[in-house]
Amino acid sequence: MSHGSTRLRARTSPDGKQVSKAPGRRRAVGGAARSALVLTMASLLFGTMTMSAHAARGEFEYLRADNNRPDTISDPPNGCRTLNGGAANASNRTDTVATVYRFSDCRDSGRIATVPARGGTWNGVPTLTVAHGVRFG
């Protein structure tokens, strides 16, 4: 047999006739390799779903600095959020710690205060500090 030839395998069809079939490339992947691939894909999908699904539960309420009216962020995802209109003070009624920042991108150089979960408050009025971003988690 030459190096480039393909060997045919005989098998029996459901009606009892002999059928020859060349092995396909899919057959080359063993059961263990297929199982590993399926497990890897499932773990990647599950990991993505759990990371994106995590959010603070509850409400973060703040007094807008631009119009002196209350605004609320409900069940925010972890990460940085912009405080529309800026915040003069805030009440954190979520189950996650919140940190307020001078800048809407929550950069560390603008960190103002950490607001504890479940009822923590922050008041920027005495020092005329306005927060423009909040990070949850």
Side-chain angles (χ1 to χ4, degrees), residues 54-136:
H54 187 70
R57 290 190 179 107
E59 294 182 335
F60 183 85
E61 186 174 290
Y62 63 99
L63 184 66
R64 289 178 62 135
D66 65 346
N67 63 14
N68 207 29
R69 292 188 178 169
D71 204 346
T72 303
I73 301 173
S74 297
D75 298 331
N78 283 350
C80 184
R81 296 282 309 262
T82 297
L83 294 170
N84 295 324
N89 62 44
S91 178
N92 183 11
R93 293 189 299 272
T94 70
D95 61 358
T96 303
V97 171
T99 305
V100 291
Y101 296 84
R102 293 183 198 282
F103 310 110
S104 61
D105 63 0
C106 301
R107 67 184 104 142
D108 283 337
S109 63
R111 177 183 234 150
I112 298 171
T114 300
V115 187
R118 297 179 180 88
T121 60
W122 164 76
N123 191 356
V125 174
T127 58
L128 301 177
T129 303
V130 175
H132 292 279
V134 60
R135 179 178 301 282
F136 295 92

Side-chain angles (χ1 to χ4, degrees), residues 10-60:
R11 68 179 179 97
T12 307
S13 68
D15 61 356
K17 294 181 183 176
Q18 285 278 337
V19 178
S20 294
K21 184 174 180 178
R25 291 192 179 257
R26 288 186 180 192
R27 296 272 228 201
V29 177
R34 244 177 295 169
S35 295
L37 179 63
V38 168
L39 288 173
T40 301
M41 296 303 285
S43 66
L44 288 173
L45 179 63
F46 179 73
T48 302
M49 287 173 45
T50 56
M51 285 174 55
S52 63
H54 187 70
R57 290 190 179 107
E59 294 182 335
F60 183 85

